Amino acid sequence: MKDLYETLGVSPEAHSRAIRKAYQRLAFQCHPDRLPADAKAESRCQFQEVEEAWRILGDPEARRKYDSQRAEKSKRRAFVAEVVRLSSMKYEDEERCYTWSCRCGDLYVLERDETENDKSEIVSCSGCSLNIEVLLKDE
């Protein structure tokens, strides 16, 4: 999904008034009722994206949640040293966990019960600041 700030063409630091102005400008430009019939389908999609962006960024509480999720996703992606399949990791029977060696010499440790619902999990090294993304399901 496209970044909501990018959809409206504003900076994440933009004031709520700037976001509202950008929304109004774009909604006016891409509203399906304003365009010729051959451009309505494409316009409808763009208009829906603009409406969704405004629904979230125009509401202070929804915007705070979105910003928090956006920051967390960015943080996770920025520090992933490598992507590893769960099936490639070593399973430790006694500890009931999966391990993977880090280049610092320490280990990434994934507890067994952490693997239940998600498609992937971010795991931090116990000895340094690196992270790996563990793909939990082989596809």
Side-chain angles (χ1 to χ4, degrees), residues 32-49:
D33 291 345
R34 295 196 66 247
L35 300 172
D38 61 332
K40 283 191 179 192
E42 183 181 326
S43 172
R44 191 170 287 117
C45 281
Q46 184 182 6
F47 184 72
Q48 288 171 343
E49 287 178 10

Side-chain angles (χ1 to χ4, degrees), residues 29-74:
Q29 287 176 352
C30 67
H31 196 284
D33 291 345
R34 295 196 66 247
L35 300 172
D38 61 332
K40 283 191 179 192
E42 183 181 326
S43 172
R44 191 170 287 117
C45 281
Q46 184 182 6
F47 184 72
Q48 288 171 343
E49 287 178 10
V50 168
E51 286 290 311
E52 177 66 12
W54 170 246
R55 186 182 66 74
I56 293 170
L57 298 180
D59 175 347
E61 183 60 32
R63 182 179 179 186
R64 272 192 290 280
K65 284 182 185 178
Y66 175 75
D67 287 346
S68 176
Q69 292 169 346
R70 186 174 175 269
E72 182 63 28
K73 184 178 178 181
S74 175

Side-chain angles (χ1 to χ4, degrees):
M1 184 176 175
K2 192 173 180 181
D3 182 77
L4 300 181
Y5 291 104
E6 197 175 309
T7 298
L8 294 181
V10 296
S11 159
E13 293 80 30
H15 194 276
S16 58
R17 285 179 294 215
I19 292 172
R20 183 176 56 244
K21 282 181 124 178
Y23 159 71
Q24 290 170 335
R25 179 181 44 78
L26 287 170
F28 182 75
Q29 287 176 352
C30 67
H31 196 284
D33 291 345
R34 295 196 66 247
L35 300 172
D38 61 332
K40 283 191 179 192
E42 183 181 326
S43 172
R44 191 170 287 117
C45 281
Q46 184 182 6
F47 184 72
Q48 288 171 343
E49 287 178 10
V50 168
E51 286 290 311
E52 177 66 12
W54 170 246
R55 186 182 66 74
I56 293 170
L57 298 180
D59 175 347
E61 183 60 32
R63 182 179 179 186
R64 272 192 290 280
K65 284 182 185 178
Y66 175 75
D67 287 346
S68 176
Q69 292 169 346
R70 186 174 175 269
E72 182 63 28
K73 184 178 178 181
S74 175
K75 179 176 139 187
R76 284 184 174 180
R77 293 287 174 222
F79 297 103
V80 172
E82 66 182 304
V83 178
V84 178
R85 293 190 181 284
L86 181 65
S87 59
S88 300
M89 295 179 78
K90 181 179 178 186
Y91 183 70
E92 306 287 343
D93 282 322
E94 265 185 47
E95 291 84 18
R96 296 186 58 174
C97 64
Y98 294 89
T99 61
W100 185 258
S101 294
C102 180
R103 62 183 174 213
C104 77
D106 221 316
L107 292 174
Y108 297 99
V109 178
L110 177 64
E111 299 295 326
R112 187 173 185 184
D113 61 338
E114 292 177 22
T115 66
E116 308 222 348
N117 296 321
D118 297 327
K119 291 182 180 182
S120 69
E121 182 75 30
I122 303 296
V123 181
S124 298
C125 176
S126 54
C128 70
S129 62
L130 295 176
N131 299 308
I132 60 171
E133 180 176 12
V134 179
L135 302 177
L136 302 174
K137 301 194 181 0
D138 287 329
E139 294 178 359

